[in-house]
Amino acid sequence: MSTSGKQLFTTLESDGTLTVAIEDVTFPAPSGNQVLVKMEAAPINPSDLVILAGAADLENADYRNGKFVATVPEPFNTGSKARHGLKLPAGNEGAGTVVASGDSDLAKALVGQRVACVPGNAYSQYCIADAALCLPLGDYSAEDGASAFVNPMTALGFVENAKMDGQNAILHTVGASNLGQMLTRICTEDGIGLVNIVRKDSQVALLEKLGSTHVVNSSEDEFMGRLRSAIDDTGAFYGFDPIGGGQTVDTVFRAMEQVAIGKMTEYSRYGSSQQKRMFIYGRLDLGPTILSPGYGTAWTLSGWLLFPFLQSIGMENVDRMRQRVLKNLTTTFASSYKKRVNLEEMLTKEALTDYRAMRTGEKYLVTPWS
Amino acid sequence: MSTSGKQLFTTLESDGTLTVAIEDVTFPAPSGNQVLVKMEAAPINPSDLVILAGAADLENADYRNGKFVATVPEPFNTGSKARHGLKLPAGNEGAGTVVASGDSDLAKALVGQRVACVPGNAYSQYCIADAALCLPLGDYSAEDGASAFVNPMTALGFVENAKMDGQNAILHTVGASNLGQMLTRICTEDGIGLVNIVRKDSQVALLEKLGSTHVVNSSEDEFMGRLRSAIDDTGAFYGFDPIGGGQTVDTVFRAMEQVAIGKMTEYSRYGSSQQKRMFIYGRLDLGPTILSPGYGTAWTLSGWLLFPFLQSIGMENVDRMRQRVLKNLTTTFASSYKKRVNLEEMLTKEALTDYRAMRTGEKYLVTPWS
């Protein structure tokens, strides 16, 4: 028995032509530990956008019903060489109802249940998913559960990683994002200090309402001084940044070093011995990361990705984190959406241009049967 | 009893005026574990230049006998804010003869011996040094022992750090430097793979003569392809860079990632899972470090400094490393010098301009009694 439905595919050719289209496909019957999920809702996260649109020229693209063809400029096209010619699905996560299963007990037990899943092809009417990675949603709606994985586990992952590294404070460069709001709530619950950087007064108010005690607005003249004070107050020499390009990380390292230098009693040409640690976990800015020589030698910058982190901490810890997410799905880990679109609607110029801007609080939800 | 002699001091004022001068000073009698060393030779290392001249405008400086006054331009002056108004000694390391000691047995045992030491004010006729950090040189000359610490321990430190991190290959971005030559000999002795990047054909020949099997010349058209081959052959996803500014590290990360991507059987939008690790241990280029988004998320870049590293590995390991250096001081760990200058001569325009250029194989040695 097989099932038919619509699914999104994205293909980048070596000449930079990006084709994203909805196609009719046949889904195989699930086997073993697999389940077949009828998808009801899937968010468009920044990590999905990399593969969905990337740096493509959306202004001059060709839009038809359920399809667009655009050009990816250099150096981004060459930078994506590894995917040239590959026809790829998209959509990390989503939620839906299990309509069929393989013959393992774990898989069979999920039939009829609503689950959150991480199939990698969530922009689809059906997905094959691993039963072990499905999270039964109980009474939660598919919309409640659609974003149960990427943002919640990333925000929790930051706190877990910080605790593992002996830190009791974190800095986050995009405080008011959906993920940033979750991180604010988690840090409050766990008694972890948090410095939130935002760009607008309204975002300061939003985070203070959530209980954030150290919100600094990068648009203000007094930004550097306030950032230093917040770092000094909390002891946050450890932070996460989803912007990547430009000087955000550089600014944070400089502020951290200035705080550390202020506590030194003797000058050292090598700067402070205070270890400063930043992680880049996204690329909202595709430009290069600029690091100026101004914070000595005691600093480390890394990329950060959820899946390898989860692998590194083991299944028991991952399960503990997921149960925490499930228990608090509509409170601590709540997501909100600006708009719902079906598979065809998500490929219109209007929708693409709007969600690729990745503005704070303007996330889209794909509802493939609407 | 006290001793008089000449010593170099460097002072940077908040307006950017850098004054470096030789002064007559009185050295106190050593106490406890201290010894008084009559200095015979001290190298000018890149790490000394930071404090000695930094980014000062040497072309338009005022040079008088045993003194120069120059202007440090922005942003370097503000970047050195922590030292504004401080009168600092200079010279990390050197060698000389112990002429007096405190009353500890360790200190007393050194009287009359020639030692290598790390006093921090080695550009001086006398230094107070910690007996525990002095390395008795036996039959070696002061010139042989002058550079027994910084370069040898740094090169050995790279190999120790790599081994601690489970690596069996290293990449070095300045292969032909004095330190790079030591690293080449150490890696050969220890069976550690090594990728040496150089800029000239003559440097390729030099390193191949030392037994280096993977030397790549960044001036050649085929550089990137050869760098990838060398990384692939050796498995060097772990490296050290003293340049800091510009795109050296970026180029290395890109080459490492391309090698890793070439081994993947399935495309991932997040790049390879191959961990790539680079350390910046100097700032030959004072410009910003540029990191382009082209090597996924599995990368880490850190500053690296010798003293904190040695502290982290414990005294027993440090002693083992120092004994290895001593045993092979004129072979594996040999340094060579372009020129010898006394304290006054090292502050002439000709000398300063020459040694601040930090050209490969053109190190200066300060001989304060000549």
Side-chain angles (χ1 to χ4, degrees), chain A residues 141-267:
Chain A
S141 70
E143 186 166 325
D144 286 340
S147 296
F149 194 82
V150 177
N151 274 349
M153 294 296 273
T154 300
L156 254 185
F158 293 170
V159 176
E160 293 283 329
N161 213 348
K163 288 177 181 172
M164 277 166 48
D165 287 343
Q167 304 293 316
N168 48 32
I170 290 174
L171 182 149
H172 189 223
T173 62
V174 183
S177 67
N178 188 302
L179 193 154
Q181 295 179 43
M182 287 183 195
L183 184 62
T184 299
R185 291 185 287 249
I186 296 165
C187 286
T188 303
E189 288 169 21
D190 290 12
I192 296 288
L194 177 63
V195 175
N196 274 313
I197 299 179
V198 298
R199 286 175 303 172
K200 295 176 192 169
D201 280 341
S202 61
Q203 297 171 334
V204 175
L206 171 74
L207 289 178
E208 287 181 346
K209 222 173 121 183
L210 294 180
S212 186
T213 51
H214 294 84
V215 192
V216 284
N217 183 344
S218 61
S219 306
E220 287 184 359
D221 289 345
E222 286 305 298
F223 171 59
M224 271 308 268
R226 288 186 182 158
L227 182 57
R228 283 193 297 265
S229 296
I231 290 167
D232 199 8
D233 274 8
T234 56
F237 293 94
Y238 187 98
F240 295 86
D241 168 60
I243 300 170
Q247 292 199 253
T248 306
V249 165
D250 186 62
T251 302
V252 169
F253 273 149
R254 275 188 288 122
M256 288 174 171
E257 178 69 359
Q258 287 162 10
V259 171
I261 291 274
K263 295 183 192 303
M264 289 169 71
T265 51
E266 203 175 323
Y267 171 74

Side-chain angles (χ1 to χ4, degrees), chain B residues 315-332:
Chain B
M315 207 55 199
E316 201 175 308
N317 283 315
V318 174
D319 279 341
R320 175 177 51 77
M321 290 165 65
R322 297 187 73 183
Q323 289 311 315
R324 181 170 173 182
V325 172
L326 187 64
K327 202 176 154 194
N328 305 285
L329 197 52
T330 55
T331 52
T332 309

Side-chain angles (χ1 to χ4, degrees), chain B residues 8-19:
Chain B
L8 179 148
F9 290 96
T10 169
T11 310
L12 179 65
E13 302 296 344
S14 56
D15 67 356
T17 304
L18 176 72
T19 304

